[in-house]
Amino acid sequence: MKGLRRTLLDWYRANRRALPWRATRDPYAIWISEAMLQQTRVETAIPYYERFLARFPDVQALAGADRDAVLGVWAGLGYYSRARNLHAAARVVVDRFAGELPDDAETLRSLPGVGRYTAGAVASIAYDRPEPVVDGNVARVLARLHAIRDDVRSSATLRRLWEEAGALARGPHPGDLNQALMELGATVCTPRAPRCSACPVARHCEAHRLGEAESLPVRSKPAAPRRVEAVAALVLRRGRALAVRRPSGLLAGLWDLPGGELARGERPAAGVRRALRERVGLSVARAQRAGAVEHAFSHRRLRLHVYRCDTPEGRVRLRDFDGHRWLAPGSFTRLPQGAVTRKAFDLVLERFPAGAGGSGGGGR
Ligand code: SF4
């Protein structure tokens, strides 16, 4: 164990990539980076991390910000609950912890959105606490080091992986040790074609010794994503477009084009009229199809039929949304919104540039 730890630390210090969050010991910055990195590739996260910290340089700035501003900086990164939770947690840190991010994993886990992984990462990297982390990279490295052949998605195997990571973290420099495991998984012990011949811990590795590196870890197949058909419409009235805000779910707090899921067997042209009538209380005078966009979420695959609709007078009555605005189409993309909304908006504007109003391309 000692030899493995020493080798990992030496290798990490000589080979780590220079990433912006590795140039700081600021617990807040490390927390933001860990929240971003949970579902996002390093290269994608870097510009978002830099923009986020430039806009909200400390926990007070984040706590005092408007939720729309936080979601706006996050827009495009996906998994928006992370941004909502960061915002809510920053307020708790200011209110209950005098603006100091707690230094122990258990208290960190009391914050909204902070699970075992994030708590372990912040406690170990920012405060050098002997707390383990297990993400996809660490799970793969440990499953190979110990030749664990059980399904890494099962709770029993996960328990074992956390125990193995915990044993490693109970030594000097736990933050660097955890980062070494993650870095090894990201750059050497990769999912396909691990570079065992260049691996610093090859002599400690059971999977390598047994010639099983490529076949581990074992992973059960996830359920196939559910296919969902839905409609969305750029609804125009006197040159202004209707934007609606989602109150809950994965995209809570984001602005959207009104619409909704199709019923089984329902045709999109009929569905868009029904969805607008039921969910925003508007009847449609004319609906023109712009096309469809596809988007993959983690558990479902969405096909969104996009329309441009004109609506006469009539009061907006919301169901399933908690806010609405009529605004120049060019201003629509300045609201925080998800990637699929942006795709749908771009499609309808491309198909009906004039119909979307004279300033249609202005804010894009
Ligand atoms: Fe991964 Fe190969 Fe290193 Fe084992 S020897 S940890 S399988 S890269």
Side-chain angles (χ1 to χ4, degrees):
M1 181 74 79
K2 257 191 181 166
L4 175 60
R5 242 191 237 123
R6 186 74 262 154
T7 309
L8 279 166
L9 284 171
D10 288 347
W11 173 82
Y12 175 66
R13 286 168 181 165
N15 293 281
R16 64 183 152 197
R17 292 166 293 172
L19 301 173
W21 42 86
R22 289 187 177 156
T24 179
R25 294 298 302 267
D26 176 8
Y28 169 75
I30 289 165
W31 173 42
I32 301 299
S33 72
E34 290 300 336
M36 285 186 174
L37 288 167
Q38 271 180 63
Q39 310 280 353
T40 307
R41 292 161 55 83
V42 163
E43 309 78 58
T44 309
I46 289 174
Y48 280 93
Y49 170 82
E50 287 173 341
R51 275 198 297 275
F52 198 95
L53 282 191
R55 184 77 185 273
F56 312 114
D58 52 37
V59 73
Q60 287 79 6
L62 180 57
D66 188 71
R67 189 172 72 161
D68 271 5
V70 179
L71 290 169
V73 177
W74 199 273
L77 206 49
Y79 297 95
Y80 292 90
S81 59
R82 293 180 297 171
R84 290 190 295 274
N85 282 329
L86 279 175
H87 188 220
R91 294 189 164 178
V92 175
V93 171
V94 167
D95 289 347
R96 281 188 33 212
F97 302 106
E100 294 285 334
L101 208 61
D103 63 0
D104 69 286
E106 199 182 322
T107 315
L108 282 163
R109 286 185 73 176
S110 70
L111 298 172
V114 177
R116 191 173 185 182
Y117 169 81
T118 308
V122 173
S124 64
I125 298 170
Y127 297 114
D128 243 349
R129 294 293 189 112
E131 293 288 345
V133 297
V134 176
D135 67 354
N137 283 325
V138 175
R140 182 170 59 258
V141 171
L142 292 176
R144 287 173 175 169
L145 276 175
H146 299 287
I148 297 172
R149 298 186 185 86
D150 302 315
D151 176 9
V152 284
R153 292 186 206 268
S154 79
S155 45
T157 311
L158 277 173
R159 224 177 3 257
R160 160 119 194 250
L161 293 170
W162 277 97
E163 279 166 18
E164 299 288 0
L168 274 172
R170 278 193 293 279
H173 311 295
D176 278 358
L177 197 283
N178 285 339
Q179 292 187 88
L181 286 171
M182 293 192 257
E183 190 77 350
L184 191 71
T187 61
V188 178
C189 193
T190 45
R192 277 180 293 280
R195 295 190 297 118
C196 299
S197 56
C199 179
V201 296
R203 70 195 160 87
H204 300 275
C205 181
E206 271 295 284
H208 177 52
R209 189 177 69 77
L210 298 166
E212 294 181 20
E214 287 236 38
S215 56
L216 294 177
V218 173
R219 232 175 256 279
S220 60
K221 267 206 159 145
R226 186 168 69 92
R227 275 207 76 89
V228 174
E229 299 266 334
V231 287
L234 182 69
V235 176
L236 292 162
R237 174 185 286 169
R238 293 194 295 275
R240 298 183 86 74
L242 178 63
V244 289
R245 191 176 56 201
R246 289 177 176 265
S248 57
L250 286 175
L251 304 175
L254 299 185
W255 291 84
D256 209 346
L257 296 170
E261 285 190 22
L262 291 176
R264 186 183 287 270
E266 186 177 37
R267 293 166 63 94
V272 71
R273 290 173 182 277
R274 178 195 50 76
L276 293 177
R277 193 173 58 245
E278 289 178 0
R279 303 186 82 205
V280 292
L282 294 175
S283 58
V284 166
R286 187 167 61 132
Q288 296 169 282
R289 182 179 165 82
V293 296
E294 300 266 346
H295 194 80
F297 294 93
S298 48
H299 300 302
R300 60 195 190 118
R301 182 146 195 100
L302 174 70
R303 183 169 165 79
L304 186 66
H305 304 269
V306 187
Y307 285 81
R308 175 203 183 282
C309 297
D310 294 298
T311 182
E313 295 309 309
R315 198 165 64 81
V316 172
R317 291 188 311 279
L318 298 179
R319 200 192 80 190
D320 309 326
F321 300 110
D322 71 351
H324 80 282
R325 289 185 195 173
W326 289 100
L327 70 180
S331 305
F332 187 85
T333 52
R334 292 190 201 118
L335 297 172
Q337 57 199 225
V340 67
T341 301
R342 185 57 186 263
K343 279 192 209 172
F345 184 79
D346 286 351
L347 174 70
V348 75
L349 224 62
E350 187 186 303
R351 180 78 174 76
F352 302 109
S359 60
R364 300 171 71 198

